[in-house]
Amino acid sequence: MKCQRCPKPATFHITDIERGKPKEFHFCDEHARQHLSPSSEAGDKADISSLAEKLSQGGLEKARETSAADKQVCPCCQMSFQEFRNTGRLGCPYDYEVFRDELMPLLENIHEETRHTGKFPRRAPRDPVRQTELIQLRNEQKRAIAAEDYEMAARIRDKIKAIEFDQGR
Amino acid sequence: MNLDDLTRTSGEWLRGTGPESDIVMCSRIRLARNLNDFPFINRASRLERTEIESVVKSSLPHLDDDLRFLDVNNLSKLDCLFLKERQLISGELANADGPRGVAFSPHENVSIMVNEEDHLRIQVMLSGLSLQEVWERINRLDDQLEERMAYAFSSTLGYLTACPTNVGTGIRVGVMLHLPALVQTKQIDKVFRALQKINLAVRGLYGEGTQAFGDFYQISNQQTLGKSEQELIRNISEVVPQIIEYERKARQQLVSEKRQHLHDQVSRAYGVLKTAHTISSEETMHLLSSVRMGINLGLIDDLAIPTVNELFIHTQPAHLQKIQGSPLVVDERNVARASYLRSRLSNGRAPAEE
């Protein structure tokens, strides 16, 4: 069998899966190497923080926007976008809302998709406001304790208990 | 739970049964899940981590799987390493500090790490190529856990995870393959490049960033968002048989072109393992890999695959020290390892009970 791209004999027989369908290629040594070498944009997708860094370093104008985005802080867990860029880890589920504009291009780069099409939990997700209520209350409680405002801390504790009770915990 | 008892057994996933088990060591799926009412781990206080732990612990009696909880925070470094060698916990969980733990089943097929990178890392492993069965088990377990706790979930982004690389399905579908002939015939890089091109990851025996040893490689998905769990499983399920086919061809090539050389290599490997008086972990893995292939090609007939599978795990540092019952430095370990191998291989002893 001859190589698909030149008259040399095909020594590599490669099957790629594209959109779930196998596609066969027959190449000589050289063209096989070309075919198999990862495209330049693939890069190391695992290194999320460097990717996040790269994405936020656009042109000058972009850089100005970015510094504003960097300073953005999640009201729920107090994580800044810059901190996420440095560590590659988010601070709470609500960060996906707060940093939505910055995260979407990142998600597209990593997964080539931006919308979940897999499993849904059987129980419906709670409305977004209530979703973060407990995390925020616990933070307020921590701050009240740090400020030695124990009366406030106790009030917050009761609120937390009430919500947990509502949720059947 | 007494961890010392585990030194006499091994995980069911090592028993060497199931489809294609001469090449496929095991199939594994893990799901990353977080509780809705708590910050992710890097923002969670000790108190919050303890609460997360207790939420998970209180759900355990309601699951079909019989899982026992182990408080990793109170374990010695050696015990942490021991669990890591058995694939029950990750290096990240072993080396972290603060409240954290793992719940696992007696046969070690199922484990749930608590307070690793995500609040829950659920894992199911089965021997051989059996991803569909693994998925059915883990999906059921996930449903049962979800009845007891509210997961962080968004209708557009799916399961929310600490790292955006896992968001969506939170799934990692992996198959662990033994590919000694592709390594020997120097075709393995070609396979890796092809896998990389279709966005699949290749890792060593112990996951991310670890070196492949004993010619074991894990093939797994990288994408977690925008495809369903079934699609991601299908992708892996379609690719793996092709790699198995390549490995079989490479083995046949070795047999037909270099039969004597191959037989010599396998016999020498077996001979060294049976007679050495000091041996490093690396050399052990390398030789066990030859022996494992030798058994599958019918060149060794007095040794069972499950025994070899088990030796890959039991000759590692923490296992040796647990078996010996005392801490050992490197040189002492090499002597203990050789002695353990001699005793396991000399009298044709059956593998440890499951």
Side-chain angles (χ1 to χ4, degrees):
Chain A
M1 186 181 287
K2 276 185 183 161
C3 173
Q4 283 172 233
R5 298 224 183 113
C6 71
K8 284 188 209 154
T11 45
F12 287 80
H13 309 280
I14 299 161
T15 311
D16 285 359
I17 306 289
E18 282 177 7
R19 294 195 181 78
K21 291 204 179 86
K23 206 171 162 191
E24 284 198 31
F25 298 95
H26 308 280
F27 292 128
C28 68
D29 201 299
E30 190 193 332
H31 284 113
R33 207 170 310 128
Q34 258 178 34
H35 177 80
L36 291 172
S37 68
S39 59
S40 55
E41 58 185 351
D44 183 9
K45 296 199 170 183
D47 194 359
I48 178 111
S49 56
S50 75
L51 191 59
E53 193 116 25
K54 240 185 287 165
L55 277 172
S56 49
Q57 287 165 351
L60 249 183
E61 225 162 303
K62 198 101 192 270
R64 224 172 290 133
E65 277 170 43
T66 310
S67 65
D70 270 0
K71 291 201 187 91
Q72 218 178 319
V73 169
C74 170
C76 190
C77 70
Q78 269 78 48
M79 164 128 351
S80 69
F81 190 69
Q82 182 170 25
E83 198 179 339
F84 163 69
R85 284 212 287 121
N86 294 336
T87 61
R89 300 284 181 277
L90 293 162
C92 78
Y94 193 51
D95 286 355
Y96 281 97
E97 283 293 323
V98 180
F99 306 132
R100 193 177 185 84
D101 293 346
E102 289 75 31
L103 284 175
M104 285 321 249
L106 186 66
L107 291 177
E108 196 166 353
N109 204 308
I110 301 168
H111 302 285
E112 290 166 11
E113 311 262 357
T114 54
R115 209 181 164 85
H116 179 60
T117 57
K119 183 175 175 175
F120 268 63
R122 284 188 196 166
R123 82 165 87 186
R126 262 175 269 148
D127 72 84
V129 182
R130 292 223 69 178
Q131 283 211 16
T132 56
E133 207 172 6
L134 273 174
I135 300 178
Q136 291 202 57
L137 282 172
R138 284 204 200 86
N139 277 334
E140 281 171 32
Q141 189 185 22
K142 269 185 260 177
R143 279 197 292 275
I145 292 170
E148 298 184 6
D149 186 348
Y150 298 113
E151 217 171 299
M152 171 70 94
R155 271 206 302 276
I156 299 170
R157 184 202 56 208
D158 293 344
K159 264 196 208 167
I160 293 174
K161 285 240 165 89
I163 295 173
E164 285 181 344
F165 184 79
D166 271 357
Q167 292 172 3
R169 277 226 263 123
Chain B
M1 187 189 325
N2 187 352
L3 281 186
D4 293 336
D5 291 344
L6 294 183
T7 60
R8 287 191 291 278
T9 66
S10 56
E12 202 173 31
W13 58 275
L14 286 167
R15 71 190 161 167
T17 57
E20 318 281 6
S21 59
D22 54 334
I23 291 170
V24 182
M25 182 85 134
C26 70
S27 305
R28 130 156 76 186
I29 295 180
R30 76 111 166 97
L31 298 174
R33 297 288 186 255
N34 288 278
L35 305 188
N36 191 41
D37 296 330
F38 293 89
F40 293 143
I41 296 301
N42 63 348
R43 272 291 199 261
S45 64
R46 286 185 76 89
L47 192 71
E48 284 165 329
R49 292 186 202 196
T50 308
E51 270 189 70
I52 294 164
E53 218 179 71
S54 69
V55 169
V56 178
K57 262 153 86 174
S58 68
S59 74
L60 297 180
H62 306 281
L63 306 174
D64 283 350
D65 289 290
D66 169 27
L67 304 184
R68 265 160 280 174
F69 188 84
L70 203 58
D71 180 357
V72 173
N73 199 26
N74 281 331
L75 291 183
S76 66
K77 275 264 161 255
L78 182 66
D79 284 342
C80 288
L81 188 58
F82 177 74
L83 293 174
K84 183 191 158 209
E85 287 174 358
R86 291 181 92 84
Q87 307 264 354
L88 287 170
I89 66 173
S90 64
E92 185 164 337
L93 194 83
N95 297 325
D97 49 21
R100 65 199 193 284
V102 62
F104 60 91
S105 62
H107 292 312
E108 303 180 25
N109 299 113
V110 182
S111 83
I112 303 173
M113 286 191 281
V114 183
N115 295 341
E116 208 241 25
E117 181 182 300
D118 294 294
H119 297 157
L120 283 87
R121 284 286 178 98
I122 312 164
Q123 167 180 278
V124 172
M125 277 198 287
L126 290 176
S127 181
L129 184 57
S130 45
L131 283 172
Q132 204 51 46
E133 199 185 334
V134 173
W135 167 246
E136 278 157 27
R137 282 190 69 166
I138 202 167
N139 190 28
R140 196 169 59 229
L141 175 58
D142 183 46
D143 285 344
Q144 288 172 1
L145 284 164
E146 202 250 325
E147 279 172 29
R148 305 274 158 188
M149 55 192 85
Y151 284 152
F153 182 87
S154 132
S155 53
T156 52
L157 290 176
Y159 294 92
L160 303 175
T161 52
C163 183
T165 50
N166 295 314
V167 78
T169 53
I171 199 172
R172 182 85 69 224
V173 183
V175 174
M176 202 194 298
L177 301 164
H178 187 223
L179 305 173
L182 284 175
V183 174
Q184 266 188 46
T185 56
K186 302 196 167 56
Q187 300 178 77
I188 195 87
D189 287 343
K190 196 171 78 186
V191 174
F192 289 173
R193 283 198 299 271
L195 290 172
Q196 217 175 14
K197 222 170 174 308
I198 52 171
N199 220 347
L200 296 181
V202 183
R203 300 189 173 92
L205 186 53
Y206 287 98
E208 223 158 323
T210 63
Q211 270 233 301
F213 59 21
D215 304 322
F216 284 104
Y217 296 91
Q218 280 186 69
I219 315 290
S220 59
N221 66 303
Q222 308 220 64
Q223 185 184 4
T224 57
L225 182 64
K227 285 211 164 58
S228 71
E229 290 82 357
Q230 286 294 351
E231 283 174 274
L232 294 166
I233 291 167
R234 207 179 310 129
N235 279 352
I236 299 274
S237 303
E238 281 172 357
V239 167
V240 167
Q242 296 179 49
I243 303 172
I244 294 174
E245 191 54 37
Y246 287 145
E247 170 67 18
R248 286 202 208 291
K249 274 190 189 145
R251 289 183 185 190
Q252 277 321 308
Q253 190 190 333
L254 287 177
V255 169
S256 58
E257 289 169 19
K258 298 178 179 172
R259 191 182 175 86
Q260 239 132 34
H261 178 85
L262 180 70
H263 204 156
D264 181 67
Q265 177 205 329
V266 167
S267 307
R268 278 169 190 264
Y270 195 21
V272 170
L273 291 170
K274 279 203 282 195
T275 56
H277 279 258
T278 170
I279 190 166
S280 70
S281 179
E282 202 187 329
E283 187 180 3
T284 305
M285 295 291 156
H286 180 66
L287 299 178
L288 281 173
S289 175
S290 287
V291 167
R292 194 180 190 277
M293 177 166 67
I295 299 171
N296 284 324
L297 291 174
L299 302 172
I300 293 175
D301 58 8
D302 63 346
L303 187 60
I305 284 288
T307 308
V308 180
N309 288 351
E310 190 175 276
L311 287 175
F312 278 106
I313 306 296
H314 282 201
T315 55
Q316 289 182 47
H319 271 77
L320 279 179
Q321 294 175 75
K322 295 287 284 179
I323 291 165
Q324 289 275 314
S326 60
L328 305 167
V329 296
V330 176
D331 286 350
E332 293 169 330
R333 284 208 297 270
N334 292 345
V335 171
R337 182 176 296 112
S339 149
Y340 179 71
L341 282 164
R342 287 200 311 277
S343 78
R344 290 295 304 269
L345 296 174
S346 62
N347 49 12
R349 204 183 114 182
E353 289 148 37
E354 269 165 23

